[in-house]
Amino acid sequence: TVLEGAFPSEVKDVRPAGTRARLAQILHKQGRSSEAVEVLRKALEEYEESLGKEHPQTLNCARNLAVLLKQSLPAGSTAGTAARLREAEALLKRAASGYAKV
């Protein structure tokens, strides 16, 4: 079936990654963006480990992390700001490239 192809039996449980991704959304809405970024980074790692780097759910998480990184930039221009922007850009490019393959 389609689901079996998307989630082969050797795939690890993705529920923790999904739970972390939802928690990151809640933290962001509460104004706790720095915590949300770290939680979403962990979710992305878990998606990569369980589904692979090119799976649509992994790509969605990468895109969401990129958006969150950009939205939670500190005020003023700093070296940290530039690093976050580079990370966000790399994540967006990765997601776009992956979507093009799907």
Side-chain angles (χ1 to χ4, degrees), residues 64-86:
N64 291 344
L65 178 55
V67 170
L68 183 58
L69 285 167
K70 186 171 181 318
Q71 288 178 345
S72 63
L73 287 173
S77 181
T78 65
T81 300
R84 271 193 165 197
L85 284 173
R86 283 191 301 275

Side-chain angles (χ1 to χ4, degrees), residues 35-80:
E35 290 174 79
V37 166
E38 296 311 313
V39 170
L40 199 53
R41 278 191 176 122
K42 180 65 177 168
L44 179 58
E45 288 176 21
E46 290 174 339
Y47 276 126
E48 290 171 344
E49 290 173 7
S50 61
L51 298 174
K53 292 186 178 230
E54 298 297 318
H55 191 280
Q57 280 184 267
T58 306
L59 298 173
N60 287 342
C61 188
R63 182 203 60 220
N64 291 344
L65 178 55
V67 170
L68 183 58
L69 285 167
K70 186 171 181 318
Q71 288 178 345
S72 63
L73 287 173
S77 181
T78 65

